[in-house]
Amino acid sequence: MITNKDSKEVRRCFDELSNNKFFQVSQEVVERMQRDTVADWCSEELCSKTIHAVFKRTGYLLDPHTAVAKVVADRFHDESVPMVICSTAHYGKFASDVLTALEGSVDADDPVTLFRQLKDFNPYPMMHLELEESIRRPKMHTQVLSANVNEIISELKHFIKMM
């Protein structure tokens, strides 16, 4: 265990996160994480192929983040140790990319149409209802920012003040 089963340390991290929106861990915890954690990547092409293959074989529709996790898990999996992949997002958040993985291309860019096309696959898990409802709500954020750090910081400060 990363915290050496220290429930007080875990509680401290959660409290700090709640109060300060971040937490800091000791060097010892960092070293354990570096020792016990494996990270890697895959190409967009392999990510797409994985989404398609898993869906075709099981009916489960992966989001791109989880597809990368599957590729990496398969790459490092030791058959003597169980492997668990925790899905990190819902495929609906990446409708265009997921549909491209399933069909080879996408001819729509309207979120409502893309969601309908995803639902036509009858995937598991089902479409996330709140996500589906959210695409019908009025847009809150319409400003497109340039790749300028100061402009991005200014917009973030404005957004935080509105919270």
Side-chain angles (χ1 to χ4, degrees), residues 140-141 155-163:
M140 289 180 57
H141 308 285
E155 185 65 20
L156 286 171
K157 285 179 179 178
H158 175 71
F159 176 75
I160 291 169
K161 285 181 185 176
M162 292 176 49
M163 292 177 76

Side-chain angles (χ1 to χ4, degrees), residues 96-109:
S96 181
D97 294 326
V98 171
L99 282 166
T100 300
L102 296 174
E103 298 182 324
S105 66
V106 175
D107 59 357
D109 63 357

Side-chain angles (χ1 to χ4, degrees), residues 37-156:
T37 304
V38 176
D40 206 357
W41 68 281
C42 76
S43 68
E44 288 185 30
E45 179 183 1
L46 187 52
C47 177
S48 262
K49 286 180 178 179
T50 301
I51 290 169
H52 186 268
V54 168
F55 181 73
K56 188 173 181 179
R57 191 174 71 251
T58 67
Y60 191 94
L61 195 48
L62 299 173
D63 66 272
H65 298 181
T66 307
V68 171
K70 166 97 171 88
V71 170
V72 172
D74 288 348
R75 194 177 290 156
F76 288 99
H77 187 216
D78 172 356
E79 294 293 327
S80 68
V81 178
M83 175 68 70
V84 176
I85 299 173
C86 296
S87 184
T88 58
H90 191 277
Y91 59 83
K93 291 175 65 178
F94 310 93
S96 181
D97 294 326
V98 171
L99 282 166
T100 300
L102 296 174
E103 298 182 324
S105 66
V106 175
D107 59 357
D109 63 357
D110 170 51
V112 175
T113 302
L114 294 172
F115 275 39
R116 185 184 43 73
Q117 289 174 341
L118 280 173
K119 286 175 74 171
D120 288 346
F121 281 93
N122 196 25
Y124 178 80
M126 295 173 48
M127 181 56 74
H128 191 286
L129 296 178
E130 287 184 36
L131 181 60
E132 191 172 11
E133 288 173 11
S134 74
I135 64 170
R136 291 180 172 80
R137 293 185 196 128
K139 290 182 181 180
M140 289 180 57
H141 308 285
T142 57
Q143 184 174 355
V144 177
L145 304 176
S146 65
N148 176 295
V149 173
N150 292 330
E151 185 179 347
I152 294 168
I153 290 171
S154 175
E155 185 65 20
L156 286 171

Side-chain angles (χ1 to χ4, degrees), residues 24-35:
Q24 189 167 357
V25 296
S26 68
Q27 184 61 35
E28 183 181 342
V29 169
V30 170
E31 289 169 5
R32 278 194 209 112
M33 289 173 64
Q34 291 171 334
R35 183 190 67 223

